[in-house]
């Protein structure tokens, strides 16, 4: 069973579009689930309760908004599209099964809702999409002819022709294609474009991050300067960022010191043969510590701290280039946010996340173990931005 807090009262619309609600109408173990998302939202529950599934649905929406096909968007899900179908969902008379996901995005255009219905079997395709805002349907699509690889789309025009109709591909998100199809000549068309842009900007801000300590212990090419999701090229990124902003780097050193054993005086990079580098922790006494000698928890703590304290320009992601960075918020998806961390590290990292999310340019949606102590939730400064979603078994 899904349990969640009631959605808080709407705040004044931010200049940074943000996903404020995730809807899993039918996705894996979730049915009719609605999850409000704040600046820092953590899903907590026992194994199998659906924590990771919620983040998988969010990431799939983000990938679709970025222009991925359904196959590409669902690639990170083990088992692909069929694994997204709710357990024991029965096929219809034509043998079709699927899933439904959606989200709410708040921003300059107001509150905009996106809902997507996907057929997973026998063929993978979008069979329905709806974009709503300002009290009206702005875009709707439907599969009219199963023999065609298109859906019939209709979007709001409010001109001499109130609705424009055209076919769209059945393996893409129609909302992400609207800027290529809508001219923006009428007030209705501009309303559609504003809503679509808001949704795309919010979803494309996502960086799914799952640091892999076993991959972070080998030297990496010095030029590999955009941090990947597995953070396996962390050393190269540290080599770049320590020269770009001394103030931010000093703050990172302080944050890392709270999660590593012993006193940390610096974070540096050692050049190796062949254009490779390794990361090094500076110590106040004794020799420096190469990153490969750190424990799994220390490496995950370091990587997540870097992600929370930086921006899209340092991460391997594709933000919306046409929109100013000040109008976008980085959203970090962190499945197993506290994995490998001891209670002290978990408290420190959550406190850091809360402080960074309070500033408004970073948001975090993560999952944590069911036994994380209540006092760890955004402990310290910034705790007011943290919220916990408890999931049953």
């Amino acid at each position: 069973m899904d349990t969640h807090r009631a959605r808080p009262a709407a705040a004044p619309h931010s200049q940074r579009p943000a996903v404020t609600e995730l809807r899993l109408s039918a996705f894996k173990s979730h049915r009719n689930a609605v999850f409000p998302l704040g600046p820092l939202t953590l899903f907590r529950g026992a194994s199998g309760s659906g924590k990771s599934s919620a983040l998988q649905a969010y990431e799939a929406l983000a990938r679709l908004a970025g222009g991925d096909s359904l196959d590409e968007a669902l690639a990170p899900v083990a088992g692909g599209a069929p694994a997204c179908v709710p357990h024991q969902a029965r096929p219809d008379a034509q043998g079709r099964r699927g899933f439904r996901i959606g989200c709410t995005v708040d921003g300059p255009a107001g509150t905009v809702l996106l809902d997507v219905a996907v057929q997973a079997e026998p063929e993978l395709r979008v069979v329905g999409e709806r974009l709503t805002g300002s009290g009206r349907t702005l875009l709707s699509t439907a599969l009219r002819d199963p023999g065609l690889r298109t859906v019939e789309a209709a979007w709001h025009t409010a001109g001499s022709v109130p609705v424009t109709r055209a076919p769209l591909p059945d393996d893409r998100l129609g909302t992400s294609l609207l800027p290529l199809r809508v001219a923006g000549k009428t007030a209705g068309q501009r309303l559609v474009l504003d809503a679509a842009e808001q949704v795309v900007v919010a979803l494309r801000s996502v960086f799914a991050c799952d640091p892999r300590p076993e991959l972070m212990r080998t030297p990496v090419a010095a030029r590999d300067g955009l941090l990947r999701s597995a953070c396996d090229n962390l050393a190269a990124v540290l080599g770049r960022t320590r020269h770009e902003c001394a103030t931010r780097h000093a703050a990172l050193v302080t944050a890392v010191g709270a999660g590593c054993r012993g006193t940390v005086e610096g974070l540096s990079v050692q050049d190796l043969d062949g254009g490779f580098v390794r990361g090094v922790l500076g110590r106040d006494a004794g020799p420096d510590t190469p990153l490969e000698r750190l424990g799994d928890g220390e490496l995950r703590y370091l990587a997540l701290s870097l992600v929370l304290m930086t921006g899209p320009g340092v991460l391997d992601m594709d933000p919306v280039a046409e929109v100013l960075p000040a109008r976008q918020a980085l959203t970090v998806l962190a499945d197993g946010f506290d994995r490998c961390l001891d209670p002290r590290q978990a408290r420190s990292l959550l406190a850091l996340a809360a402080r960074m999310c309070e500033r408004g340019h970073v948001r975090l949606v993560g999952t944590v173990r069911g036994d994380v102590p209540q006092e760890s939730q955004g402990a310290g400064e910034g705790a007011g931005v943290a919220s916990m979603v408890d999931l049953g078994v």
Side-chain angles (χ1 to χ4, degrees):
M1 179 179 67
D2 295 307
T3 58
H4 56 275
R5 297 182 180 181
R7 188 180 184 189
H13 295 305
S14 168
Q15 291 301 305
R16 295 189 178 102
V19 177
T20 54
E21 184 178 80
L22 180 66
R23 291 186 296 282
L24 307 182
S25 300
F27 186 82
K28 289 197 167 186
S29 62
H30 298 282
R31 288 183 179 273
N32 301 318
V34 180
F35 302 118
L37 302 178
L40 194 170
T41 304
L42 298 174
F43 288 81
R44 177 175 63 181
S47 177
S49 60
K51 306 185 300 296
S52 297
S53 299
L55 267 63
Q56 287 172 348
Y58 195 148
E59 184 177 359
L61 286 170
R63 286 171 170 264
L64 287 170
D68 281 3
S69 67
L70 278 171
D71 270 329
E72 295 167 334
L74 297 173
V77 180
C84 300
V85 178
H87 183 54
Q88 295 183 340
R90 296 181 178 180
D92 63 12
Q94 285 74 43
R96 298 174 298 191
R97 299 198 311 156
F99 59 89
R100 300 190 306 277
I101 57 179
C103 65
T104 298
V105 178
D106 281 297
T111 298
V112 182
L113 283 73
L114 170 68
D115 292 284
V116 185
V118 176
Q119 175 187 296
E121 298 170 340
E123 295 178 306
L124 181 60
R125 61 203 316 177
V126 175
V127 294
E129 179 180 348
R130 187 178 297 272
L131 184 72
T132 57
S134 301
R136 57 172 55 90
T137 298
L138 303 176
L139 167 72
S140 63
T141 71
L143 180 64
R144 301 298 186 191
D145 186 347
L148 299 177
R149 297 302 309 192
T150 60
V151 292
E152 181 179 302
W155 56 83
H156 181 64
T157 305
S160 57
V161 179
V163 175
T164 300
R165 301 182 186 276
L168 292 179
D170 70 350
D171 66 339
R172 307 278 172 171
L173 188 70
T175 296
S176 67
L177 300 175
L178 285 178
L180 303 175
R181 297 295 190 108
V182 181
K185 295 181 178 180
T186 69
Q189 289 177 338
R190 289 191 290 273
L191 180 63
V192 171
L193 286 174
D194 288 345
E197 179 184 84
Q198 178 166 296
V199 169
V200 169
V201 169
L203 288 173
R204 283 182 59 179
S205 75
V206 165
F207 181 69
C209 183
D210 186 10
R212 301 274 302 278
E214 70 275 16
L215 302 179
M216 298 165 63
R217 293 190 167 94
T218 57
V220 296
R223 295 182 178 181
D224 195 1
L226 288 177
L227 190 68
R228 292 189 287 269
S229 293
C231 301
D232 50 299
N233 60 332
L234 176 68
V237 178
L238 287 174
R240 170 192 167 190
T241 58
R242 66 190 292 262
H243 296 296
E244 291 184 349
C245 181
T247 301
R248 180 177 293 177
H249 185 75
L252 176 62
V253 172
T254 300
V256 171
C260 294
R261 294 188 63 183
T263 303
V264 177
E265 293 293 332
L267 273 171
S268 60
V269 172
Q270 179 183 359
D271 293 324
L272 303 175
D273 293 338
F276 289 84
V277 293
R278 73 197 300 189
V280 177
L281 281 187
R283 303 293 191 179
D284 63 336
D288 294 344
T289 305
L291 294 190
E292 61 261 30
R293 299 186 65 86
L294 298 180
D296 287 0
E298 291 176 310
L299 284 172
R300 283 184 60 86
Y301 185 99
L302 194 164
L304 288 167
S305 296
L306 174 63
V307 171
L308 290 168
M309 298 182 72
T310 187
V314 179
L315 307 175
D316 185 15
M317 59 183 296
D318 185 23
V320 181
E322 310 85 62
V323 179
L324 294 173
R327 297 292 183 96
Q328 301 184 57
L330 169 67
T331 300
V332 180
L333 297 186
D335 192 15
F337 182 72
D338 62 338
R339 188 185 311 135
C340 301
L341 304 184
D342 62 33
R344 174 184 62 87
Q345 291 171 325
R347 284 192 294 270
S348 296
L349 190 59
L350 285 169
L352 173 64
R355 291 196 301 272
M356 300 310 296
C357 291
E358 188 178 38
R359 299 181 181 183
H361 64 281
V362 175
R363 296 171 69 87
L364 171 68
V365 181
T367 69
V368 292
R369 298 189 306 269
D371 59 351
V372 172
Q374 185 73 21
E375 61 269 19
S376 296
Q377 300 175 31
E381 180 187 352
V385 303
S387 61
M388 187 73 70
V389 177
D390 285 304
L391 298 179
V393 178

